[in-house]
Amino acid sequence: MDLDYNQIMSIGVYGSAIGLILIGLYAVLIKKHLTKIVIGLSIIDAGIHLLFIAIGYIKGGTAPIFSPAGEKIVANGGVMVDPVPQALVLTAIVIGFAVTAVALSLVIRLYRHHQTARIDQIKSLKW
Amino acid sequence: MVVSPVHFIAVPLLAAFLIPLLAKVSKELVRIVPGLVIGYLSVVSVILMTQVVNTGQPIIEVIGGWSPPFGINLVFSAFTGFLVSLMTFMAFLIWIYSYRFKKIDDAPAQKYFILFMMLVTGSTGIVLTGDIFNLFVFMEITAIAAYSLTAFYRDRDGAEAAFKYLLIGSFASALMLLAIVLLYSQVGTLNMAEIAQRIHTVPQGMKITIFTLFVVGLGIEAEMFPLNGWAPDAYSQSPGPVGVAFAALVVKAGVYSLVRVVFTMFDIHGAYEFLIIMGAITMVIAEISALKQTNLKRMLAYSSIGQMGFVLIAFGIGTNAAVFGALFLMFNHAVIKGLLFMSGSYLVYNTPSKEIKDMAGIGKKLPMVSFFFALGALAIVGLPPFSGFWSKLYILMAAADASFYYLMGTILIVSIIEIVYYFRVMGRLYFGKPQNDVVLQKPTLGGIFAMGVLATVIIVIGIHPDFVTGFIQSAADTLLDKAGYINNVLQLTNL
């Protein structure tokens, strides 16, 4: 099978996006340490962000900026990549950051309350 | 003065960020300003709602001069307007109820009011927005405020409940983001009206994948089985007013977004039957779990989940009459469950163990609160002449018209279970022997006022349902008018 550079790249990018999501899922579902679960959630987010960026990419596209240089490229038959996924991923990264911060502060609170950060040893409420 | 739907998002968000500054000026401002803001929003929602119902045209707000589908737009139709009015009304009562919250200590009160304003911003934003990614952002604002409010008390197991909620919630938001990514890759737009227009071009397999991701992501906020594990813990560990806010705002926003996805965005064959089945499973399991709860707040939480299952069933029947019943039930659930959580919190305060069996005889010690609780219990099981009766009747009639006879049987059997566990609490309240005569916490004036308003609403709507049925009918018509929604939003496009 003959693959050119672009095909290898796209398989690599999509593959690593799905790989990241699966690694994150593994961490969330299997790991018992609260911090590792939070890390797993961040990895899932990173995978989805990568997938989103990959979907918005157009082969050979340039940065989507309205500037004299950008207009010249488009006038000469060039293309720009889709700017919407990039804007959305930027927003999603900020949201992910906020959720991670809240999650870690809860982990600290749980650790102080129970003197442990292992999820199988914290069971005042029914899990 | 010009009022516009954008005030629902801008004003409370601004207030949330100003509260720490206002605290430097006066401690009392921290408590007064949220009330002024929500009061203003209630007035705006009433003005806009009258305008929408009179003209029959939704108000579509274009933000930043970017017309849809390129920019974000807010849609204040009869349907979304009805929910926003309900939410701001309930938020106002929650403010009155919690005005003296943490009166002794001002620093926690400041945090509470900031998070509460964020919760109001997020949940009204979910209902108003016409952009699917914007909906995701508001969902996260609501969720982060809700996680923090769940963990509010340091001495309870709040952090554990909040972490559980966060784990389920952020997993859901990851799935929802994935759904948005896939949807964008298929239709190339984020505007909900334009998605609805183009969804038929998406291959069937992809459409079902995206739909499933959305349902799982949104079903968590809507307390759909089996995604509702967070709810009993979050309700029982969070402060009293927060439980009311969950029932009246967060869950309503969750159900709204689920309904928006099913009714407007997707045209999947069998989605309505899916809602009925999931709703029935949710309702039966939640009500049976409620029956065996010994903790009052957990019991109320399971009952709340059960009611949401009932709402999903009614939406799943899908006829105009059933949607009318579902919206009426959402209204009733907000009002009645609000009253139950408000009065239930005082019952729990006065019972250190929080167990139902220790609440014996409180009916004589706290007559006012127990009366409100009993009224709420009678209303939610659907006894006439209270408002809960009408919504149940309308949904049963709609089920009969659509010949869902097994469903009617299930609903009626579940109602009997509901009666058993609510009457068990009432029996203990009034006929149990008091264990001690100490009253730990008498209701505040604001608390009694808020509960009194809700009780009045329940009785007045129960005797004369025509006060709200007009609004609900136009809300139901608007929801089912998919073509009208698409046209109204996209006619503003000026290419």
Side-chain angles (χ1 to χ4, degrees):
Chain A
M1 199 162 70
D2 286 332
L3 291 172
D4 64 11
Y5 174 74
N6 276 313
Q7 278 168 318
I8 294 168
M9 274 307 281
S10 70
I11 290 171
V13 170
Y14 282 107
S16 42
I18 292 162
L20 280 174
I21 296 174
L22 292 177
I23 292 170
L25 267 181
Y26 167 79
V28 171
L29 295 176
I30 308 291
K31 291 292 172 189
K32 298 277 185 245
H33 196 281
L34 291 173
T35 319
K36 286 182 184 166
I37 293 175
V38 176
I39 293 171
L41 286 173
S42 309
I43 296 177
I44 296 180
D45 269 352
I48 295 172
H49 298 163
L50 188 57
L51 188 68
F52 212 166
I53 290 289
I55 282 170
Y57 181 73
I58 295 167
K59 203 171 95 182
T62 179
I65 304 166
F66 274 109
S67 60
E71 276 167 25
K72 205 193 243 170
I73 292 169
V74 174
N76 293 336
V79 285
M80 286 178 170
V81 299
D82 190 351
V84 175
Q86 303 188 359
L88 300 189
V89 164
L90 209 56
T91 317
I93 288 172
V94 175
I95 292 171
F97 165 73
V99 172
T100 310
V102 173
L104 288 175
S105 65
L106 287 175
V107 171
I108 293 171
R109 180 89 78 78
L110 277 172
Y111 181 76
R112 285 192 187 144
H113 198 277
H114 295 273
Q115 297 304 318
T116 175
R118 285 184 66 81
I119 205 163
D120 47 354
Q121 288 168 13
I122 300 172
K123 39 186 145 188
S124 329
L125 302 169
K126 289 164 223 146
W127 273 85
Chain B
M1 192 169 60
V2 183
V3 290
S4 96
V6 84
H7 292 199
F8 288 104
I9 294 154
V11 179
L13 200 58
L14 180 70
F17 288 115
L18 284 182
I19 284 174
L21 290 177
L22 293 173
K24 303 254 184 248
V25 181
S26 156
K27 296 272 183 240
E28 207 57 31
L29 272 181
V30 172
R31 293 165 194 279
I32 294 170
V33 166
L36 291 179
V37 166
I38 300 172
Y40 169 69
L41 294 183
S42 309
V43 173
V44 171
S45 72
V46 169
I47 294 173
L48 292 177
M49 193 65 192
T50 354
Q51 192 185 328
V52 166
V53 171
N54 285 343
T55 60
Q57 282 295 314
I59 302 166
I60 291 161
E61 176 83 10
V62 175
I63 293 178
W66 293 89
S67 61
F70 305 111
I72 291 166
N73 59 304
L74 301 181
V75 183
F76 193 98
S77 63
F79 171 51
T80 58
F82 169 71
L83 286 178
V84 167
S85 314
L86 178 64
M87 283 172 171
T88 46
F89 169 69
M90 286 306 296
F92 190 67
L93 288 180
I94 293 168
W95 171 73
I96 295 177
Y97 178 78
S98 59
Y99 180 72
R100 292 175 64 83
F101 185 70
K102 291 268 170 191
K103 193 69 183 169
I104 315 128
D105 191 2
D106 272 308
Q110 189 181 324
K111 286 175 196 147
Y112 164 77
F113 282 113
I114 294 173
L115 290 168
F116 181 58
M117 295 317 292
M118 301 290 280
L119 201 70
V120 172
T121 312
S123 39
T124 49
I126 290 174
V127 176
L128 284 174
T129 185
D131 180 284
I132 191 72
F133 189 77
N134 204 224
L135 193 146
F136 169 78
V137 172
F138 282 123
M139 191 65 100
E140 289 300 292
I141 293 177
T142 316
I144 290 173
Y147 306 148
S148 319
L149 283 171
T150 306
F152 194 80
Y153 283 136
R154 282 166 192 276
D155 48 347
R156 297 187 192 173
D157 285 321
E160 195 178 334
F163 192 78
K164 202 176 185 180
Y165 186 8
L166 186 142
L167 205 57
I168 304 173
S170 53
F171 189 66
S173 73
L175 292 184
M176 199 181 149
L177 190 58
L178 194 58
I180 294 171
V181 171
L182 294 175
L183 191 61
Y184 182 77
S185 75
Q186 296 296 316
V187 297
T189 178
L190 293 163
N191 184 283
M192 292 205 265
E194 212 178 14
I195 291 171
Q197 212 174 30
R198 293 192 194 163
I199 196 75
H200 61 90
T201 60
V202 179
Q204 190 68 17
M206 196 56 163
K207 200 152 67 178
I208 289 172
T209 312
I210 297 170
F211 179 74
T212 315
L213 288 170
F214 265 123
V215 167
V216 175
L218 298 170
I220 286 171
E221 294 294 350
E223 298 183 348
M224 192 172 76
F225 179 81
L227 313 163
N228 47 25
W230 62 272
D233 294 330
Y235 279 107
S236 61
Q237 301 303 319
S238 59
V242 176
V244 187
F246 281 166
L249 280 85
V250 179
V251 177
K252 294 291 170 296
V255 171
Y256 162 81
S257 38
L258 199 58
V259 166
R260 185 55 98 196
V261 166
V262 173
F263 277 71
T264 309
M265 275 169 52
F266 283 82
D267 56 349
I268 291 180
H269 189 69
Y272 295 99
E273 286 80 357
F274 175 74
L275 272 192
I276 293 182
I277 293 168
M278 291 317 289
I281 298 174
T282 309
M283 185 172 76
V284 170
I285 291 186
E287 299 288 9
I288 291 172
S289 313
L291 191 59
K292 69 180 177 66
Q293 293 306 312
T294 55
N295 178 311
L296 183 71
K297 276 198 173 178
R298 285 184 85 89
M299 188 196 94
L300 289 177
Y302 275 113
S303 160
S304 182
I305 298 172
Q307 294 279 317
M308 281 303 116
F310 196 12
V311 169
L312 289 183
I313 291 176
F315 275 121
I317 296 171
T319 57
N320 190 305
V323 170
F324 171 79
L327 290 171
F328 203 167
L329 184 59
M330 277 170 88
F331 171 81
N332 276 335
H333 175 261
V335 172
I336 301 172
K337 206 33 82 66
L339 181 64
L340 281 172
F341 270 112
M342 284 179 183
S343 51
S345 302
Y346 278 113
L347 296 180
V348 169
Y349 271 138
N350 290 298
T351 326
S353 65
K354 296 183 181 181
E355 300 287 309
I356 295 168
K357 63 176 169 9
D358 295 333
M359 284 175 189
I362 286 187
K364 285 154 202 147
K365 287 192 288 179
L366 287 170
M368 205 77 161
V369 171
S370 308
F371 168 74
F372 286 134
F373 187 87
L375 186 82
L378 292 175
I380 206 151
V381 298
L383 291 180
F386 302 111
S387 59
F389 167 71
W390 294 104
S391 51
K392 213 165 228 175
L393 182 70
Y394 281 122
I395 294 174
L396 283 173
M397 282 184 345
D401 283 343
S403 31
F404 284 109
Y405 299 114
Y406 291 108
L407 210 56
M408 287 175 70
T410 318
I411 293 169
L412 290 171
I413 290 170
V414 164
S415 301
I416 295 173
I417 301 179
E418 242 179 353
I419 291 175
V420 170
Y421 66 78
Y422 274 113
F423 279 39
R424 189 183 56 177
V425 178
M426 279 162 63
R428 289 229 185 265
L429 282 182
Y430 283 108
F431 304 113
K433 204 167 273 176
Q435 286 161 330
N436 53 6
D437 293 327
V438 189
V439 173
L440 298 168
Q441 173 99 32
K442 283 227 156 84
T444 60
L445 203 62
I448 289 191
F449 179 76
M451 288 190 273
V453 170
L454 288 176
T456 318
V457 169
I458 292 170
I459 293 172
V460 169
I461 301 292
I463 292 168
H464 194 75
D466 292 353
F467 281 133
V468 288
T469 46
F471 289 110
I472 297 175
Q473 188 57 55
S474 53
D477 292 342
T478 319
L479 171 60
L480 290 168
D481 184 14
K482 180 174 167 178
Y485 177 79
I486 297 173
N487 286 337
N488 281 324
V489 172
L490 292 184
Q491 72 182 359
L492 295 171
T493 311
N494 43 4
L495 285 167

